[in-house]
């Protein structure tokens, strides 16, 4: 009887592709030398060289290209010369590596030294004393979750689209200092804030730092919102300065979505992965600030405010003394700013 031996066929790899000259930043959203730095920082080094293994920079390029495509694995595979399954596995692996360092790149001021430093940065460019940053929410659209027995409809926002409502804070240098990306689109901004780590930190803090928020939030001793119907000169002055300084968070959201188009359209991923992708994009925004990587080479993106003015309802849930203390602090700061204008 003849014996047959199975001979394993040689595995064939697709021919790797390089980016067209002058298109690197458009493809990967960072200058090439910065992509090398990012890959060295986030992707663990490996000595494995067999087969068609991707080096750390190539893995990071696939990850960044997926964020910029936005989110089409077949297209990313064609761009890089790899199979769609390789794109999927590489993206998930790099995402987990990036998220592991979230606490290193997104830091809210907690200690006395951190609070004073954030206040000093604010005062170097802006006017409202004691401020450590600005606060707002933005919506990131997702694929509509399967609705079974009423589950999934909570992701439908007031515009009728499925989304996640993302709360974030930023400092005077347009760096994100906190992010909460775990709330469905139907949840209002004020509810997210009440249940957030930021609110707990600010309420329990003795360092007297202030955040600036829009009229969708209820005023508090640590959260300054504009006057609804400013009548006095001091109130109008405060509102003008407040609007000019609070807009820093909207600029951050605009830059974030401008650099990472995956956040502009519907994120084409399983729902449980979307919060991690949002956090990773915010981390990389801060990395870009650290590396002085410009954001002016991308198409313009105008951040649309997703806030609703319904803090009359919220006032019913806020302790009167807390609200009064916030109003007193706002009045004192308004008088200070108004006198400074004279």
């Amino acid at each position: 009887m003849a014996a047959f031996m199975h001979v394993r066929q040689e595995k064939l790899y697709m021919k790797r592709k390089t980016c067209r000259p002058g298109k690197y930043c458009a493809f990967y959203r960072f200058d090439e030398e910065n992509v090398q730095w990012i890959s060295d920082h986030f992707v663990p080094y490996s000595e494995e060289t067999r087969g068609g293994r991707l080096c750390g920079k190539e893995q990071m390029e696939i990850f960044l290209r997926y964020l910029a495509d936005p989110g089409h694995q077949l297209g990313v595979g064609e761009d890089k010369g790899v199979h769609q399954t390789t794109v999927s596995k590489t993206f998930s692996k790099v995402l987990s590596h990036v998220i592991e360092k979230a606490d290193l790149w997104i830091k809210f001021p907690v200690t006395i030294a951190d609070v004073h430093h954030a206040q000093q940065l604010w005062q170097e460019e802006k006017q409202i004393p004691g401020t450590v940053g600005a606060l707002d929410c933005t919506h990131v659209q997702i694929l509509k979750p399967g609705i079974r027995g009423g589950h999934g409809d909570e992701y439908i926002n007031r515009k009728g689209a499925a989304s996640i409502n993302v709360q974030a804070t930023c400092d005077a240098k347009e760096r994100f200092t906190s992010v909460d990306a775990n709330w469905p689109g139907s949840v209002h901004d004020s509810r997210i804030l009440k249940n957030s780590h930021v609110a707990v930190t600010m309420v329990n803090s003795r360092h007297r730092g202030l955040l600036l928020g829009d009229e969708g939030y209820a005023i508090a001793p640590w959260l300054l919102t504009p006057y609804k119907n400013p009548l006095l000169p001091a109130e109008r002055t405060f509102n003008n300065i407040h609007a000019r300084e609070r807009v820093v968070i909207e600029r951050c959201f605009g830059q974030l979505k401008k650099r990472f188009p995956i956040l502009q359209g519907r994120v084409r991923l399983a729902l449980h992965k979307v919060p991690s992708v949002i956090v990773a994009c915010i981390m990389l925004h801060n990395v870009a600030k650290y590396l002085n990587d410009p954001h002016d080479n991308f198409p313009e993106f105008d951040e649309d405010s997703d806030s609703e003015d319904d803090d009359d309802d919220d006032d019913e849930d806020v302790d009167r003394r807390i609200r009064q203390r916030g109003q007193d602090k706002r009045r004192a700061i308004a008088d200070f700013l108004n006198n400074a204008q004279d």
Side-chain angles (χ1 to χ4, degrees), residues 251-263:
R251 287 202 300 270
C252 284
F253 284 140
Q255 292 171 20
L256 178 71
K257 293 184 177 181
K258 186 177 177 183
R259 186 179 291 273
F260 304 114
I262 192 173
L263 302 182

Side-chain angles (χ1 to χ4, degrees), residues 29-278:
R29 320 313 279 180
F30 287 89
D31 292 337
E32 186 167 5
E33 60 270 23
N34 288 338
V35 172
Q36 183 66 65
W37 187 96
I38 293 169
S39 65
D40 291 342
H41 179 70
F42 287 108
V43 181
Y45 174 75
S46 174
E47 296 183 351
E48 177 63 57
T49 58
R50 64 181 177 179
R53 181 189 172 275
L54 297 163
C55 68
K57 184 177 178 227
E58 290 173 323
Q59 294 177 51
M60 183 56 67
E61 285 175 341
I62 287 176
F63 180 76
L64 294 174
R65 183 61 183 145
Y66 190 90
L67 300 179
D69 191 66
H72 295 281
Q73 294 181 359
L74 286 174
V76 174
E78 286 295 321
D79 290 337
K80 291 298 297 175
V82 297
H83 196 272
Q84 178 268 328
T85 57
T86 300
V87 173
S88 178
K89 293 177 181 179
T90 301
F91 181 84
S92 296
K93 182 169 68 173
V94 175
L95 177 62
S96 65
H97 291 322
V98 172
I99 292 298
E100 286 175 357
K101 295 189 176 182
D103 291 341
L104 179 64
W105 287 101
I106 306 175
K107 296 181 179 179
F108 191 77
V110 175
T111 66
I112 294 177
D114 289 343
V115 170
H116 287 173
H117 180 65
Q119 292 173 329
Q120 182 180 2
L121 289 179
W122 197 271
Q123 286 298 118
E124 288 176 359
E125 303 177 3
K126 308 180 190 302
Q127 295 178 262
I128 299 179
T131 304
V132 298
L135 165 79
D136 204 357
C137 286
T138 188
H139 284 261
V140 173
Q141 291 191 39
I142 59 175
L143 297 175
K144 190 173 182 180
I147 299 178
R148 297 179 181 177
H151 298 291
D153 53 353
E154 68 270 22
Y155 287 91
I156 307 301
N157 62 34
R158 60 188 174 88
K159 296 182 179 180
S163 69
I164 289 177
N165 196 0
V166 182
Q167 175 187 280
T169 57
C170 72
D171 63 13
K173 298 299 183 180
E174 299 178 350
R175 297 171 299 196
F176 288 103
T177 55
S178 74
V179 58
D180 189 339
N182 295 296
W183 291 86
S186 63
V187 179
H188 191 267
D189 300 359
S190 59
R191 180 184 169 194
I192 297 175
L193 176 59
K194 289 176 183 178
N195 292 276
S196 70
H197 175 70
V198 167
V200 173
T201 300
M202 296 299 286
V203 167
N204 295 327
S205 174
R206 298 181 180 180
H207 309 325
R208 300 183 179 179
L210 299 173
L211 289 172
L212 306 184
D214 64 20
E215 63 276 4
Y217 297 100
I219 192 169
W222 50 270
L223 179 63
L224 295 184
T225 60
Y227 288 94
K228 278 192 171 183
N229 299 298
L231 300 175
L232 301 176
E235 295 174 352
R236 290 193 290 270
T237 297
F238 175 85
N239 275 15
N240 290 336
I241 295 175
H242 182 282
R244 191 163 61 241
E245 298 191 2
R246 191 199 65 82
V247 76
V248 64
I249 184 64
E250 295 181 5
R251 287 202 300 270
C252 284
F253 284 140
Q255 292 171 20
L256 178 71
K257 293 184 177 181
K258 186 177 177 183
R259 186 179 291 273
F260 304 114
I262 192 173
L263 302 182
Q264 293 184 31
R266 288 182 175 84
V267 182
R268 298 173 179 273
L269 287 168
L271 181 58
H272 70 275
K273 286 188 176 181
V274 178
S276 293
V277 171
I278 295 170

